[in-house]
Amino acid sequence: MLTRSLLFVPADKEKMLLKINHLESDIVIIDLEDAVAPDDKQYARNLLKRHAPSWNRPVFIRINSTGTTDYDQDINLINSFGNDVDLEGVMLPKASCQDDIIKLANYLEKIEQRHHLTTSYQIMPLIENAIGVKYADEIASASERIFKLAFGGVDFINDIGAQETKQEHELLHARSEIVIASRIANIGQPIDTVYTDFQNSEGFMESSRFVKSLGFSGKLLIHPAQIEPANKVFSPSREEVDDAEKLISQLRHQSGTFQLGGKMVDKPVIEKAYRVLNDHKAILNQNKEENNGSTT
Ligand code: COA
Ligand code: MG
């Protein structure tokens, strides 16, 4: 599954929920946590119960955090879906330690057993406080259900008492910790935080290019206008694909280190070229599936 663009849709906004099957983000995350006021959470769950059976795109639900009564009710909601809903998994906000993940994994396992589900729900921990960053590696390896780590920068800034800067300096250390923890746990590249100034497309692109350079595979999004730019930034460019193809085509004639167009080529450069081509192929496959009306 591609993870360039993951759009949040507030669970209490029926008008937005009705758009889910037409959104072009790689993944949709329906939010029952911060986007929904406490008094509206039950209303939102009822809406999801009604609309969830019609979803035909990869969907995660962001439930409320561990230890809240809303968490228990959100788990009950997922239990009520049974076989009727095609849900990829659950995003866990404020993920802070291994136990948070193990507890959730146990609940999900029970639900799957109860309904004899043949697929297993995945877990996407959202790292958004200092303790989550400290234990990111343990969180990332806490369960086989871990999909990828995601970073929640807005809560993180509040948690550590930092100031938001245009250059996002205050996020750099945590971002790199999350990339490294993901690599150690071998779970694939993580997903970066939302960019709240959604009308500033230049700023969004700049931030996205920067986090791609740090090692993120995509971004959490809040508005449909961010989908296309995210898909563009987090896909290999035409030039990258052409260069990778040229390089691989040379391999038959070369051995060891050589130069191509004035640049050194050795093992890691070759590995990167294969990665670019694999990413490109995955995107072409997804586009083909979507054109055929299937997005699994
Ligand atoms: N998902 C689906 N549709 C969305 C959407 C979203 N996240 N955000 C906006 N839209 C739709 C709107 O419904 C509107 O549709 P319409 O043209 O049919 O009326 C269209 O896109 C344009 O929206 P716009 O008027 O520019 O914005 P808005 O004022 O309706 O919404 C926000 C702005 C920020 C409130 C909204 O984007 C939002 O709720 N985002 C998600 C917030 C969230 O989940 N936060 C938690 C995680 S940080
Ligand atoms: Mg939050």
Side-chain angles (χ1 to χ4, degrees), residues 32-83:
L32 276 166
E33 199 221 12
D34 285 349
V36 182
D39 288 349
D40 294 334
K41 300 226 191 233
Q42 196 46 47
Y43 163 75
R45 287 184 201 101
N46 292 340
L47 274 185
L48 295 192
K49 244 178 160 163
R50 185 138 38 90
H51 290 289
S54 67
W55 296 335
N56 66 9
R57 297 193 56 75
V59 172
F60 280 74
I61 294 183
R62 177 162 81 167
I63 60 173
N64 287 276
S65 54
T66 318
T68 62
T69 50
D70 282 308
Y71 172 94
D72 299 332
Q73 292 175 43
D74 296 344
I75 298 284
N76 288 341
L77 171 74
I78 292 164
N79 183 39
S80 75
F81 286 167
N83 277 294

Side-chain angles (χ1 to χ4, degrees), residues 135-261:
Y135 294 112
D137 52 350
E138 292 184 14
I139 292 168
S141 59
S143 163
E144 299 213 322
R145 292 173 187 271
I146 299 290
F147 173 64
K148 282 186 165 207
L149 297 183
F151 179 43
V154 182
D155 277 281
F156 178 73
I157 286 173
N158 285 340
D159 187 57
I160 63 167
Q163 297 289 327
E164 212 178 315
T165 63
K166 190 167 166 284
Q167 302 84 354
E168 304 182 319
H169 293 310
E170 66 285 0
L171 303 180
L172 180 59
H173 178 82
R175 278 172 162 160
S176 292
E177 288 277 357
I178 289 169
V179 168
I180 291 165
S182 300
R183 178 65 193 104
I184 291 169
N186 212 11
I187 53 169
Q189 294 169 268
I191 317 295
D192 189 53
T193 186
V194 294
Y195 190 84
T196 54
D197 187 4
F198 65 86
Q199 289 178 337
N200 178 1
S201 61
E202 251 323 293
F204 175 79
M205 297 278 278
E206 199 181 316
S207 172
S208 300
R209 282 192 286 264
F210 176 65
V211 298
K212 181 182 179 181
S213 79
L214 290 182
F216 286 85
S217 71
K219 266 184 94 66
L220 299 173
L221 311 178
I222 52 167
H223 192 280
Q226 296 177 320
I227 298 172
E228 203 190 322
N231 285 348
K232 185 157 184 248
V233 170
F234 292 102
S235 299
S237 67
R238 187 68 253 170
E239 196 187 353
E240 281 175 298
V241 173
D242 288 348
D243 286 351
E245 278 171 348
K246 209 183 293 168
L247 191 154
I248 302 300
S249 73
Q250 285 298 310
L251 293 181
R252 261 177 298 145
H253 315 294
Q254 306 282 353
S255 66
T257 308
F258 61 97
Q259 69 126 325
L260 187 65

